[in-house]
Amino acid sequence: MMEFVFWASFALLFYIYFGYPLAVKALAMLKPTPIAANDDYLPKVSILIAAYNEAKDIEATLRNKLALDYPPEKLEVLVISDESEDGTDRIVEEVAAAADIPIRLFRQIPRQGKTAGLNTLVPKANGDILLFSDANSQWDTQAVRKLCRNFADPQVGYVTGKMVYVHADGSMVGDGCSAYMRYENWLRDQETRIGSIVGVDGGIDAMRKELYQPLGADQLPDFVQPLKVVDEGYRVVYEPEALLKEEALSDGGSEFSMRVRVSLRALWALKDMKHLMNPAGDPIFAWQLISHKLLRYAAFAPMVTLALAAIYLAPVKGFYALAATGYALFLYLAWSGHKKEKEGQALSTLYALPYYFMLLNLASLQAFVAFSKGEKKVIWNPRKG
């Protein structure tokens, strides 16, 4: 029985992290679905930014948007301040006064969170394409052009760009996080080739305004809105040349808290859109959503059963003793990475990857516990570097 638990757990983990990506790659090679992109397609766009106490970053973010290589007569920026108290509103107004494109400020009182803020902004937007930026997002100057060229294809309803982490000090979490994002971006590229992706970067996204659906304040727009686009019969695709540069969090505690929050809201989103996991609808996308999201968030479970089975079987056969030793070594490297990070040391990939892998799965575990208790996250605080 324990041998079955060991091999079933191992097979599930292998499928989650390697089997599913390889299967998507094979399907993309056998039956690709190209995008009819056009670099000359330049629709009218609105950039939407929700901000809460972002005085530290909002000016740089707005000036970044003013420097975009896009026809200014087709571009506007809308900012909603979620009852900010640190001078964010004043900074937005000062930048807007001297800007050569429209920058409009709205204020949300009482504080209700990002999703409610976006619901307020969308009806006020004049663009045919909505672009979503975080209050600290730095886009490449060509980002809007690269995103919008995909909308020349009438089947494309939502486009996400590529987030790249930048870190001057080579911090451990940054290294591990960058490796994780390289893995995720490769997988998104393969998923795009077969139809739609199942995960996006909320700091550099775009969608057709006509497809936007108001969401509940507790729903995660970066997750639910793309799923609703798929539900409407449109594609959600990845544009690797639309770049978002974001500074990696400088400590594991901040990264862990952020991952718990995102994972919790994603679990609620999966519950809200659970009908998309029914293979009777779109069997390919249902398979993607279950494999890439549901099983990924639940990967901590086979990790635990694999460890317990290996420990139980170690005295029986040398192979299982070797497996238990390897598992223990992996945990040691992760723990060492945690300790070194706490001491402010920059770590090599040898420590960074185990640490970040465990951080993600422990965050998912905590999110599952919170989800089982019915907890929800609606409002947010500025990300600390």
PDB file of all heavy atoms in Angstrom, residues 4 7 28 44 75 90 98 103 105 117-118 123 128 160 162 172 175 181 187 199 218-219 225 303 307 336 354 364:
ATOM      1  N   PHE A   4       2.454   1.937  -3.288  1.00  0.00           N
ATOM      2  CA  PHE A   4       1.511   2.574  -4.201  1.00  0.00           C
ATOM      3  C   PHE A   4       1.422   4.073  -3.914  1.00  0.00           C
ATOM      4  O   PHE A   4       1.420   4.896  -4.847  1.00  0.00           O
ATOM      5  CB  PHE A   4       0.126   1.936  -4.066  1.00  0.00           C
ATOM      6  CG  PHE A   4      -0.937   2.672  -4.842  1.00  0.00           C
ATOM      7  CD1 PHE A   4      -1.063   2.489  -6.220  1.00  0.00           C
ATOM      8  CD2 PHE A   4      -1.790   3.564  -4.211  1.00  0.00           C
ATOM      9  CE1 PHE A   4      -2.026   3.174  -6.941  1.00  0.00           C
ATOM     10  CE2 PHE A   4      -2.757   4.251  -4.921  1.00  0.00           C
ATOM     11  CZ  PHE A   4      -2.876   4.053  -6.292  1.00  0.00           C
ATOM     12  N   TRP A   7       4.637   5.805  -5.298  1.00  0.00           N
ATOM     13  CA  TRP A   7       4.717   5.953  -6.752  1.00  0.00           C
ATOM     14  C   TRP A   7       3.586   6.805  -7.311  1.00  0.00           C
ATOM     15  O   TRP A   7       3.778   7.552  -8.284  1.00  0.00           O
ATOM     16  CB  TRP A   7       4.746   4.581  -7.417  1.00  0.00           C
ATOM     17  CG  TRP A   7       6.080   3.903  -7.211  1.00  0.00           C
ATOM     18  CD1 TRP A   7       6.332   2.830  -6.401  1.00  0.00           C
ATOM     19  CD2 TRP A   7       7.327   4.299  -7.777  1.00  0.00           C
ATOM     20  NE1 TRP A   7       7.677   2.517  -6.435  1.00  0.00           N
ATOM     21  CE2 TRP A   7       8.313   3.399  -7.280  1.00  0.00           C
ATOM     22  CE3 TRP A   7       7.713   5.300  -8.650  1.00  0.00           C
ATOM     23  CZ2 TRP A   7       9.649   3.496  -7.632  1.00  0.00           C
ATOM     24  CZ3 TRP A   7       9.055   5.400  -9.010  1.00  0.00           C
ATOM     25  CH2 TRP A   7      10.002   4.509  -8.505  1.00  0.00           C
ATOM     26  N   ALA A  28       1.279  21.417 -29.075  1.00  0.00           N
ATOM     27  CA  ALA A  28       1.568  22.641 -29.814  1.00  0.00           C
ATOM     28  C   ALA A  28       2.311  22.347 -31.113  1.00  0.00           C
ATOM     29  O   ALA A  28       2.140  23.049 -32.114  1.00  0.00           O
ATOM     30  CB  ALA A  28       2.386  23.599 -28.943  1.00  0.00           C
ATOM     31  N   LYS A  44      -7.545  52.522 -30.256  1.00  0.00           N
ATOM     32  CA  LYS A  44      -7.578  53.473 -29.149  1.00  0.00           C
ATOM     33  C   LYS A  44      -7.551  52.686 -27.843  1.00  0.00           C
ATOM     34  O   LYS A  44      -8.303  51.725 -27.659  1.00  0.00           O
ATOM     35  CB  LYS A  44      -8.849  54.324 -29.229  1.00  0.00           C
ATOM     36  CG  LYS A  44      -8.828  55.571 -28.364  1.00  0.00           C
ATOM     37  CD  LYS A  44     -10.015  56.464 -28.681  1.00  0.00           C
ATOM     38  CE  LYS A  44      -9.935  57.760 -27.888  1.00  0.00           C
ATOM     39  NZ  LYS A  44     -11.090  58.655 -28.196  1.00  0.00           N
ATOM     40  N   LEU A  75      -4.279  57.331 -26.823  1.00  0.00           N
ATOM     41  CA  LEU A  75      -3.854  56.822 -25.525  1.00  0.00           C
ATOM     42  C   LEU A  75      -4.379  57.708 -24.398  1.00  0.00           C
ATOM     43  O   LEU A  75      -4.366  58.928 -24.498  1.00  0.00           O
ATOM     44  CB  LEU A  75      -2.322  56.767 -25.474  1.00  0.00           C
ATOM     45  CG  LEU A  75      -1.640  56.259 -24.213  1.00  0.00           C
ATOM     46  CD1 LEU A  75      -1.961  54.798 -23.969  1.00  0.00           C
ATOM     47  CD2 LEU A  75      -0.130  56.455 -24.326  1.00  0.00           C
ATOM     48  N   ARG A  90      -2.328  63.883  -5.092  1.00  0.00           N
ATOM     49  CA  ARG A  90      -1.657  65.135  -5.472  1.00  0.00           C
ATOM     50  C   ARG A  90      -0.601  64.888  -6.537  1.00  0.00           C
ATOM     51  O   ARG A  90      -0.486  65.669  -7.497  1.00  0.00           O
ATOM     52  CB  ARG A  90      -1.020  65.771  -4.228  1.00  0.00           C
ATOM     53  CG  ARG A  90      -0.174  67.018  -4.525  1.00  0.00           C
ATOM     54  CD  ARG A  90       0.485  67.527  -3.258  1.00  0.00           C
ATOM     55  NE  ARG A  90       1.254  66.510  -2.571  1.00  0.00           N
ATOM     56  CZ  ARG A  90       2.469  66.114  -2.945  1.00  0.00           C
ATOM     57  NH1 ARG A  90       3.047  66.652  -4.038  1.00  0.00           N
ATOM     58  NH2 ARG A  90       3.112  65.197  -2.254  1.00  0.00           N
ATOM     59  N   ALA A  98       0.837  68.509 -16.550  1.00  0.00           N
ATOM     60  CA  ALA A  98       1.886  68.792 -17.532  1.00  0.00           C
ATOM     61  C   ALA A  98       1.992  67.717 -18.612  1.00  0.00           C
ATOM     62  O   ALA A  98       2.897  67.766 -19.447  1.00  0.00           O
ATOM     63  CB  ALA A  98       3.233  68.920 -16.813  1.00  0.00           C
ATOM     64  N   ILE A 103      -4.599  62.233 -18.500  1.00  0.00           N
ATOM     65  CA  ILE A 103      -4.477  61.433 -17.282  1.00  0.00           C
ATOM     66  C   ILE A 103      -5.595  61.880 -16.359  1.00  0.00           C
ATOM     67  O   ILE A 103      -5.637  63.027 -15.934  1.00  0.00           O
ATOM     68  CB  ILE A 103      -3.115  61.623 -16.590  1.00  0.00           C
ATOM     69  CG1 ILE A 103      -1.968  61.160 -17.502  1.00  0.00           C
ATOM     70  CG2 ILE A 103      -3.072  60.848 -15.278  1.00  0.00           C
ATOM     71  CD1 ILE A 103      -0.581  61.346 -16.899  1.00  0.00           C
ATOM     72  N   LEU A 105      -7.912  61.311 -12.863  1.00  0.00           N
ATOM     73  CA  LEU A 105      -7.871  60.754 -11.519  1.00  0.00           C
ATOM     74  C   LEU A 105      -9.287  60.608 -10.965  1.00  0.00           C
ATOM     75  O   LEU A 105     -10.113  61.519 -11.072  1.00  0.00           O
ATOM     76  CB  LEU A 105      -7.057  61.658 -10.588  1.00  0.00           C
ATOM     77  CG  LEU A 105      -7.064  61.288  -9.098  1.00  0.00           C
ATOM     78  CD1 LEU A 105      -6.346  59.959  -8.873  1.00  0.00           C
ATOM     79  CD2 LEU A 105      -6.421  62.405  -8.264  1.00  0.00           C
ATOM     80  N   GLY A 117     -12.335  49.081  -7.880  1.00  0.00           N
ATOM     81  CA  GLY A 117     -11.797  50.248  -8.570  1.00  0.00           C
ATOM     82  C   GLY A 117     -11.841  50.100 -10.082  1.00  0.00           C
ATOM     83  O   GLY A 117     -12.197  51.038 -10.807  1.00  0.00           O
ATOM     84  N   LEU A 118     -11.474  48.926 -10.575  1.00  0.00           N
ATOM     85  CA  LEU A 118     -11.517  48.695 -12.016  1.00  0.00           C
ATOM     86  C   LEU A 118     -12.953  48.725 -12.534  1.00  0.00           C
ATOM     87  O   LEU A 118     -13.217  49.244 -13.623  1.00  0.00           O
ATOM     88  CB  LEU A 118     -10.859  47.356 -12.345  1.00  0.00           C
ATOM     89  CG  LEU A 118      -9.357  47.260 -12.080  1.00  0.00           C
ATOM     90  CD1 LEU A 118      -8.840  45.865 -12.433  1.00  0.00           C
ATOM     91  CD2 LEU A 118      -8.581  48.315 -12.873  1.00  0.00           C
ATOM     92  N   PRO A 123     -16.285  51.909 -17.234  1.00  0.00           N
ATOM     93  CA  PRO A 123     -17.298  52.680 -17.961  1.00  0.00           C
ATOM     94  C   PRO A 123     -16.832  54.085 -18.353  1.00  0.00           C
ATOM     95  O   PRO A 123     -17.394  54.695 -19.269  1.00  0.00           O
ATOM     96  CB  PRO A 123     -18.475  52.754 -16.969  1.00  0.00           C
ATOM     97  CG  PRO A 123     -18.258  51.631 -16.022  1.00  0.00           C
ATOM     98  CD  PRO A 123     -16.774  51.503 -15.902  1.00  0.00           C
ATOM     99  N   ASP A 128     -10.944  51.365 -26.996  1.00  0.00           N
ATOM    100  CA  ASP A 128     -11.524  50.084 -27.411  1.00  0.00           C
ATOM    101  C   ASP A 128     -10.821  48.920 -26.727  1.00  0.00           C
ATOM    102  O   ASP A 128     -11.380  47.833 -26.575  1.00  0.00           O
ATOM    103  CB  ASP A 128     -11.417  49.926 -28.933  1.00  0.00           C
ATOM    104  CG  ASP A 128     -12.180  51.008 -29.667  1.00  0.00           C
ATOM    105  OD1 ASP A 128     -13.339  51.263 -29.306  1.00  0.00           O
ATOM    106  OD2 ASP A 128     -11.604  51.611 -30.600  1.00  0.00           O
ATOM    107  N   THR A 160      -1.733  38.966 -22.427  1.00  0.00           N
ATOM    108  CA  THR A 160      -0.855  39.276 -21.305  1.00  0.00           C
ATOM    109  C   THR A 160       0.583  39.373 -21.785  1.00  0.00           C
ATOM    110  O   THR A 160       0.977  38.701 -22.745  1.00  0.00           O
ATOM    111  CB  THR A 160      -0.959  38.210 -20.194  1.00  0.00           C
ATOM    112  OG1 THR A 160      -0.295  38.680 -19.013  1.00  0.00           O
ATOM    113  CG2 THR A 160      -0.333  36.892 -20.611  1.00  0.00           C
ATOM    114  N   LYS A 162       4.930  39.854 -20.712  1.00  0.00           N
ATOM    115  CA  LYS A 162       5.969  39.062 -20.034  1.00  0.00           C
ATOM    116  C   LYS A 162       6.571  39.870 -18.890  1.00  0.00           C
ATOM    117  O   LYS A 162       7.101  40.951 -19.110  1.00  0.00           O
ATOM    118  CB  LYS A 162       7.066  38.669 -21.030  1.00  0.00           C
ATOM    119  CG  LYS A 162       8.221  37.891 -20.419  1.00  0.00           C
ATOM    120  CD  LYS A 162       9.258  37.555 -21.481  1.00  0.00           C
ATOM    121  CE  LYS A 162      10.424  36.775 -20.920  1.00  0.00           C
ATOM    122  NZ  LYS A 162      11.411  36.426 -21.966  1.00  0.00           N
ATOM    123  N   MET A 172      18.276  36.106  -3.206  1.00  0.00           N
ATOM    124  CA  MET A 172      17.918  34.706  -3.389  1.00  0.00           C
ATOM    125  C   MET A 172      16.503  34.534  -3.912  1.00  0.00           C
ATOM    126  O   MET A 172      16.274  33.797  -4.856  1.00  0.00           O
ATOM    127  CB  MET A 172      18.116  33.955  -2.059  1.00  0.00           C
ATOM    128  CG  MET A 172      17.910  32.462  -2.147  1.00  0.00           C
ATOM    129  SD  MET A 172      16.187  31.992  -2.171  1.00  0.00           S
ATOM    130  CE  MET A 172      15.636  32.814  -0.683  1.00  0.00           C
ATOM    131  N   ASP A 175      16.300  35.389  -7.527  1.00  0.00           N
ATOM    132  CA  ASP A 175      16.844  34.371  -8.413  1.00  0.00           C
ATOM    133  C   ASP A 175      15.866  33.217  -8.586  1.00  0.00           C
ATOM    134  O   ASP A 175      15.582  32.779  -9.694  1.00  0.00           O
ATOM    135  CB  ASP A 175      18.172  33.829  -7.854  1.00  0.00           C
ATOM    136  CG  ASP A 175      19.289  34.844  -7.960  1.00  0.00           C
ATOM    137  OD1 ASP A 175      19.183  35.745  -8.805  1.00  0.00           O
ATOM    138  OD2 ASP A 175      20.251  34.737  -7.185  1.00  0.00           O
ATOM    139  N   MET A 181       9.559  32.210 -13.082  1.00  0.00           N
ATOM    140  CA  MET A 181       8.879  32.966 -14.125  1.00  0.00           C
ATOM    141  C   MET A 181       9.349  32.543 -15.515  1.00  0.00           C
ATOM    142  O   MET A 181       8.555  32.537 -16.457  1.00  0.00           O
ATOM    143  CB  MET A 181       9.090  34.466 -13.926  1.00  0.00           C
ATOM    144  CG  MET A 181       8.287  35.059 -12.781  1.00  0.00           C
ATOM    145  SD  MET A 181       6.521  34.622 -12.812  1.00  0.00           S
ATOM    146  CE  MET A 181       6.028  35.205 -14.433  1.00  0.00           C
ATOM    147  N   LEU A 187       5.870  27.985 -20.502  1.00  0.00           N
ATOM    148  CA  LEU A 187       4.628  27.227 -20.536  1.00  0.00           C
ATOM    149  C   LEU A 187       3.502  28.050 -21.170  1.00  0.00           C
ATOM    150  O   LEU A 187       2.691  27.532 -21.949  1.00  0.00           O
ATOM    151  CB  LEU A 187       4.247  26.784 -19.122  1.00  0.00           C
ATOM    152  CG  LEU A 187       3.025  25.876 -18.967  1.00  0.00           C
ATOM    153  CD1 LEU A 187       3.095  24.686 -19.920  1.00  0.00           C
ATOM    154  CD2 LEU A 187       2.896  25.407 -17.524  1.00  0.00           C
ATOM    155  N   GLY A 199      -3.114  31.466 -17.170  1.00  0.00           N
ATOM    156  CA  GLY A 199      -2.594  32.373 -16.153  1.00  0.00           C
ATOM    157  C   GLY A 199      -1.976  33.594 -16.793  1.00  0.00           C
ATOM    158  O   GLY A 199      -1.340  33.491 -17.839  1.00  0.00           O
ATOM    159  N   ASP A 218     -14.449  40.748  -4.175  1.00  0.00           N
ATOM    160  CA  ASP A 218     -13.566  39.710  -3.659  1.00  0.00           C
ATOM    161  C   ASP A 218     -12.965  38.834  -4.754  1.00  0.00           C
ATOM    162  O   ASP A 218     -12.189  37.925  -4.474  1.00  0.00           O
ATOM    163  CB  ASP A 218     -14.318  38.829  -2.664  1.00  0.00           C
ATOM    164  CG  ASP A 218     -15.506  38.109  -3.304  1.00  0.00           C
ATOM    165  OD1 ASP A 218     -16.076  38.657  -4.268  1.00  0.00           O
ATOM    166  OD2 ASP A 218     -15.847  37.003  -2.851  1.00  0.00           O
ATOM    167  N   GLN A 219     -13.315  39.083  -6.017  1.00  0.00           N
ATOM    168  CA  GLN A 219     -12.791  38.272  -7.113  1.00  0.00           C
ATOM    169  C   GLN A 219     -11.468  38.829  -7.626  1.00  0.00           C
ATOM    170  O   GLN A 219     -11.250  40.049  -7.634  1.00  0.00           O
ATOM    171  CB  GLN A 219     -13.806  38.198  -8.249  1.00  0.00           C
ATOM    172  CG  GLN A 219     -15.038  37.384  -7.910  1.00  0.00           C
ATOM    173  CD  GLN A 219     -16.001  37.261  -9.073  1.00  0.00           C
ATOM    174  OE1 GLN A 219     -16.486  38.261  -9.602  1.00  0.00           O
ATOM    175  NE2 GLN A 219     -16.285  36.036  -9.485  1.00  0.00           N
ATOM    176  N   GLN A 225     -11.167  37.465 -14.909  1.00  0.00           N
ATOM    177  CA  GLN A 225     -11.506  38.146 -16.162  1.00  0.00           C
ATOM    178  C   GLN A 225     -11.025  37.372 -17.390  1.00  0.00           C
ATOM    179  O   GLN A 225     -11.795  37.199 -18.346  1.00  0.00           O
ATOM    180  CB  GLN A 225     -10.925  39.567 -16.157  1.00  0.00           C
ATOM    181  CG  GLN A 225     -11.643  40.564 -17.033  1.00  0.00           C
ATOM    182  CD  GLN A 225     -13.072  40.853 -16.615  1.00  0.00           C
ATOM    183  OE1 GLN A 225     -14.002  40.421 -17.285  1.00  0.00           O
ATOM    184  NE2 GLN A 225     -13.250  41.581 -15.521  1.00  0.00           N
ATOM    185  N   MET A 303       3.385  16.100  -2.196  1.00  0.00           N
ATOM    186  CA  MET A 303       4.713  16.292  -1.612  1.00  0.00           C
ATOM    187  C   MET A 303       4.767  15.686  -0.212  1.00  0.00           C
ATOM    188  O   MET A 303       5.749  15.041   0.165  1.00  0.00           O
ATOM    189  CB  MET A 303       5.054  17.779  -1.555  1.00  0.00           C
ATOM    190  CG  MET A 303       5.398  18.408  -2.894  1.00  0.00           C
ATOM    191  SD  MET A 303       5.748  20.173  -2.751  1.00  0.00           S
ATOM    192  CE  MET A 303       7.206  20.145  -1.692  1.00  0.00           C
ATOM    193  N   ALA A 307       6.820  12.156   0.923  1.00  0.00           N
ATOM    194  CA  ALA A 307       7.794  12.160   2.022  1.00  0.00           C
ATOM    195  C   ALA A 307       7.455  11.096   3.061  1.00  0.00           C
ATOM    196  O   ALA A 307       8.339  10.338   3.501  1.00  0.00           O
ATOM    197  CB  ALA A 307       7.832  13.549   2.669  1.00  0.00           C
ATOM    198  N   SER A 336      18.344  25.938   4.275  1.00  0.00           N
ATOM    199  CA  SER A 336      19.585  26.720   4.256  1.00  0.00           C
ATOM    200  C   SER A 336      19.387  28.015   3.475  1.00  0.00           C
ATOM    201  O   SER A 336      19.894  29.078   3.864  1.00  0.00           O
ATOM    202  CB  SER A 336      20.714  25.896   3.642  1.00  0.00           C
ATOM    203  OG  SER A 336      21.007  24.755   4.433  1.00  0.00           O
ATOM    204  N   PRO A 354      15.326  25.332  -4.556  1.00  0.00           N
ATOM    205  CA  PRO A 354      14.600  24.585  -3.514  1.00  0.00           C
ATOM    206  C   PRO A 354      13.822  25.492  -2.575  1.00  0.00           C
ATOM    207  O   PRO A 354      12.685  25.190  -2.199  1.00  0.00           O
ATOM    208  CB  PRO A 354      15.715  23.827  -2.773  1.00  0.00           C
ATOM    209  CG  PRO A 354      16.821  23.713  -3.765  1.00  0.00           C
ATOM    210  CD  PRO A 354      16.764  24.978  -4.568  1.00  0.00           C
ATOM    211  N   SER A 364       0.752  27.856  -0.898  1.00  0.00           N
ATOM    212  CA  SER A 364      -0.468  27.200  -1.379  1.00  0.00           C
ATOM    213  C   SER A 364      -1.167  26.451  -0.250  1.00  0.00           C
ATOM    214  O   SER A 364      -2.401  26.468  -0.148  1.00  0.00           O
ATOM    215  CB  SER A 364      -0.134  26.234  -2.514  1.00  0.00           C
ATOM    216  OG  SER A 364       0.316  26.924  -3.658  1.00  0.00           O
TER     217      SER A 364
END
